[in-house]
Amino acid sequence: MAAARNNEFKLFGPRDGDYQSPSVVTLSCHLSPEISAVSMEIRWFKGTDCVCLYKNRQVTEGRGYRGRVSLFTQELQRGNVSLQIRDCRWSDRGDYLCQVTNGDTTEECTVGMWPPSWGSGTEAQRKSRVAEVYVYQVSMLFYIDHTFKKDGSSKVL
């Protein structure tokens, strides 16, 4: 396992978009270099709501997520700070912010979850036809979109 100097690390979401079953969705997030997050503070937010908090080796689930969210605590040693959401609901779609703090260093990464079939129809229709959700790192998509608009080319940097 790599050792980071002075609490230095970066936080990364999924490398590529990923389709997953809505019964169990993993919002991938990991530290680089691959260092232990066991003694760090990990917070997952959706908007201003704290979905999950890991602090002092204890996991606290946010209101509205109790019994449905968890971290892979046995994988924290390898820098895996991913959030798992079970039994996804209509209200679960959107962007989630992962925030990891180690001493005076805090890193953030936003991971989005959007069920492709939830784009149109009534809420009941959308819920009944959900077969998969798409999970992606938001900042990467915004960067690519911004590049296309700024210079008008199709070159992705």
Side-chain angles (χ1 to χ4, degrees):
M1 188 176 334
R5 291 187 314 233
N6 301 325
N7 295 335
E8 293 176 12
F9 63 93
K10 295 289 182 195
L11 200 53
F12 291 96
R15 294 174 199 234
D16 299 310
D18 183 27
Y19 286 96
Q20 300 181 27
S21 164
S23 60
V24 179
V25 174
T26 299
L27 303 180
S28 299
C29 203
H30 64 276
L31 303 177
S32 181
E34 188 180 291
I35 58 174
S36 175
V38 171
S39 62
M40 298 183 187
E41 185 173 306
I42 303 161
R43 295 175 187 265
W44 277 92
F45 294 95
K46 182 169 187 283
T48 57
D49 296 331
C50 185
V51 173
C52 188
L53 167 66
Y54 174 85
K55 185 175 182 179
N56 299 325
R57 299 177 186 250
Q58 297 290 320
V59 176
T60 304
E61 301 164 329
R63 210 171 10 164
Y65 293 91
R66 290 192 182 109
R68 298 193 312 118
V69 295
S70 59
L71 299 176
F72 297 91
T73 53
Q74 59 279 61
E75 294 185 28
L76 291 173
Q77 184 68 34
R78 295 191 305 258
N80 183 351
V81 295
S82 300
L83 178 72
Q84 187 174 73
I85 305 174
R86 292 173 297 285
D87 301 321
C88 287
R89 302 173 181 167
W90 166 253
S91 58
D92 292 335
R93 76 197 186 293
D95 296 340
Y96 290 78
L97 175 71
C98 178
Q99 184 181 74
V100 178
T101 302
N102 187 21
D104 59 356
T105 301
T106 298
E107 287 289 326
E108 297 180 341
C109 180
T110 303
V111 179
M113 176 179 66
W114 190 261
S117 60
W118 284 0
S120 60
T122 66
E123 183 174 342
Q125 290 169 331
R126 288 188 296 260
K127 286 181 180 178
S128 68
R129 64 181 182 222
V130 173
E132 57 189 12
V133 294
Y134 187 64
V135 176
Y136 53 91
Q137 183 172 339
V138 173
S139 58
M140 293 175 78
L141 291 179
F142 286 151
Y143 175 74
I144 291 169
D145 185 47
H146 178 71
T147 302
F148 282 125
K149 290 179 181 177
K150 185 175 180 180
D151 66 321
S153 72
S154 60
K155 183 178 179 182
V156 178
L157 303 176

